[in-house]
Amino acid sequence: MMENEVKEKAYHGQMHRIQKELMMRWYSQLDQAEETGTPVVYMMVSGNCVELLHAFGVLPVYPEINALQLAIRNQSLPALLKSEEIGYSSDNCGYVKADMGSYAMGNKSSLATKIPKPSLILCNYVGCSTYIKWFEHIADLTKAPLYMLDIPFVREDEPSSHDIHYVVRQLHEVVEILEKQTGRKLDWDHLRATVKMARQAEDLWSQVKHFAQHSPSPFDAYFDSTTLMGPLYVYRGTQDCVDFFRVTANELRERMHNGVGVVPNEKFRIVVEGPPPYPHFRVFREMLARWGACAVASTYSTVGGIWEFGFRHDPNRPLESIAEHMLNHNLANRNFLQRYAQIKRYIEEYSADALVIHSVKSCRLFSAGQGDMREYFTRDLGIPTLFVESDLEDPRYFAPAQMRNRIDAFFEALEHKKFYRQGGTA
Amino acid sequence: MFIDSVVDQWKEKTQDPAFAAVTEWKERTGNKVAGYFPVYTPMELIYACGMLPVGLTGAGNKLEIINADARFGSFICSIAKSTMELGMRNNLSPFDVIFFQSICDTARNLAFLFKRNFEPDLSIEYIHFPQNMDSAAALEFLITEYQRVLRKMEGLTGKIVEAEDIRRSIRLYNQNRAWIRELNSFRQNHPQSISASEMYILLKAGHFMSPEEHTVLLIHVLSDLQQRKVTMRDTIRVVLEGSFCEQPPLELLQALDEAGCYVVDDDLLLGRRWYESDVAVTGDPIHALAEAYIEKSVYSSVRHDMKRTRTEGLLKKVHAANADAVVFCIAKFCEPAFFDYVLLKGALEREQVPHLLVEFEEKMWTFEKARTEIETFVESLLFD
């Protein structure tokens, strides 16, 4: 059964080198921000308006990225313990707790660089209610001004014109604040150019995502997407981002044409729902890869935006298209049943064999109701579905032996179903 | 006494997972019923449509969870699971529509699970409350949101609602809230005369009747309470904080009483008060309701207004009630309340107000540990 032990060295191309450079440059700019006098705006990843920030030349800080970096580098536990000492419940979101704990411990990134204090805390309330709490707590600690950018949740099929109008009006208020803080008027031509560059990167990112429709898939749309998402969120709206995704698309296209799969001997094509267990990222990846399972699509990679179904920012309607992105074209602000439809579409369009739900304790936006989701996919659609639980930040909730057992049992059954029953041989 | 029989009667009815009181109301009036999950639901609009708004606050410890556990992960609050269980067991059949609001991510996902599992037999409505209270755009947004909901309710009942219908409804709820405030002020002045659990049952009874009927009940209760003969005990005066959505078991409220706490204010069911003062009855009533949410809504962990912060709200409440301490009574896995706990406890410590945290679940069976903790807390303050 287990002929697929992963021994090959992971692929490292130019895309990985550039990714690293870009992220290091960002951390270094943040480290220097107070000396260079560059304003920094704290913001969240889900459907945000980073284009507006780039149009003003201010730097984004993403507390989520800081938190997940701590987890992936095995540095989250001390920060989590510190937060519990302050009074945070063991059941609160681990991202927030690690961030608050880390703040109390000197506010350094996982690379030991300085995270500057915010000039503005811009809470893009896009689906995740915890964002509101998180940014209120940051405001309480830093005393920086907080703007609550309220994005109405998608509660009918589409956002209404009132919803869009409401968000655009608020974006105008954000522009006013940024004009005051930077001391200069918004250059609308520059904003249009920024939005145009966002659009170019989105075209390329969408192309990359579609490469996974090819079998074998040249990249893993769950694990590798997290690497690609860094530049997408930090640099979207800049030429650096366009260049990075051009290199990435070229490299992955070449691998696809050469028939090189990211998982050696791709045997199972899976869709993954839910954020990764960052504190055990590699272990989890290996648990799946040893079965030849490759993620061909993932919902987590659409938290910041869903572009593979066609949405693009529009330089001719910069604020309106930013509003539409925040409202309707990211996973976080779309409702739970729209997520079912998104996954169903992935399964069909990416020829997936199964759905893997990684349910995380921290994030109720993702996890509340995932049992019903499993019910829908297994009972109503007949899609083999694996449901596993751990956390995105807290290493204490990952039980390796149990996780491995569940994964092994699932793929053993799936193997039987796919290769023996369908093949008609025993 | 009248109050004892009312409390006894409603103790059963308010905990009845079969909602017999709702069926009885429906049969008596022939009207439709709208359930609402916590909180801030515009009851006035629902009532103006000729429907009875009925508060849905889970199933407490009166319903075994057989089906709903499997629909959620492990880390989800009890109220979401027991509410789902009510639906899956067909206990919500007396209801025509259920309202959910943007209070937290769990409540929101629950709304869409309801849609998938129970529509079209049950209509599901979801309201997004603006969280950017500082923006001038928020009021306009909420007005359009209420108009959208009203149009859908008109579709459901087949009846066009006039502005005067809504104004009449607002008047009745203003009156009801005034009497609730009256009862609250009575218990602050005479905390020995009404226990926390009695107060809670009397408020919750309002979930199952029209505002007129509830007002009449409160008027009778208040006059009866004046006659109650009781003696003061050695106790501390506490504000109960954190139970605006999932409700603590009655036994826990009783444990608070028995352990020596006079609860002089609380946020149970948000007291059905929801607004600090009357909603305007002149001008456009939808505008008035939207404005009331933005300008006058009672604070809670799921409403964010930087002009009227929750820390200020709690401190004001503690001082107004002349309370000695705060007991945080928070449901397990309640993300908004646990996050706020950190900020609120900081504010209390700065003001040197003692506080205690008690975590609960609907299915909590033993109260000894909680009682001992509360007793120790009370003693430490009494003998300080």
Side-chain angles (χ1 to χ4, degrees), chain A residues 192-211:
Chain A
R192 276 186 277 272
T194 303
V195 167
K196 192 175 171 191
M197 285 185 279
R199 185 188 179 99
Q200 288 165 345
E202 289 158 5
D203 274 336
L204 291 160
W205 171 231
S206 172
Q207 276 179 34
V208 167
K209 285 216 150 172
H210 281 93
F211 292 160

Side-chain angles (χ1 to χ4, degrees), chain A residues 91-93 127 129 133 136-137 147-148 150 155-156 169-170 173 364-365 368-369 371-372 380 389, chain B residues 70-71 74-75 105 108-109 116-117 128 130-132 135 140 145 148 301 304 310 332 335 339-340:
Chain A
D91 296 322
N92 274 142
C93 167
S129 308
K133 300 294 184 192
E136 277 191 338
H137 289 216
Y147 185 88
M148 191 68 73
D150 176 33
R155 54 224 182 279
E156 304 279 353
R169 270 185 73 178
Q170 293 181 81
E173 292 177 358
R364 272 87 188 183
L365 179 156
D372 185 76
D380 295 18
E389 285 182 310
Chain B
R71 301 302 174 112
S74 308
F75 309 110
D105 298 353
R108 184 186 60 217
N109 286 4
R116 186 177 96 78
N117 288 277
H128 181 91
Q131 298 292 349
N132 184 358
S135 171
E140 190 187 309
E145 185 68 348
R148 176 182 72 81
S301 291
H304 303 89
R310 277 111 56 211
K332 186 152 181 63
E335 189 112 85
F339 272 130
D340 273 11

Side-chain angles (χ1 to χ4, degrees), chain B residues 253-266:
Chain B
L253 295 181
Q254 283 157 358
L256 272 164
D257 280 326
E258 289 157 14
C261 293
Y262 280 153
V263 175
V264 285
D265 211 339
D266 61 59

Side-chain angles (χ1 to χ4, degrees), chain B residues 219-237:
Chain B
I219 294 172
H220 281 128
V221 161
L222 261 166
S223 111
D224 203 42
L225 278 172
Q226 321 273 359
Q227 319 300 322
R228 224 178 203 186
K229 299 274 185 291
V230 279
T231 47
M232 289 291 280
R233 293 179 291 145
D234 265 349
T235 50
I236 58 165
R237 295 166 64 90

Side-chain angles (χ1 to χ4, degrees), chain A residues 354-366:
Chain A
L355 169 63
V356 173
I357 301 173
H358 179 241
S359 187
V360 297
K361 174 183 173 30
S362 279
C363 182
R364 272 87 188 183
L365 179 156
F366 261 107

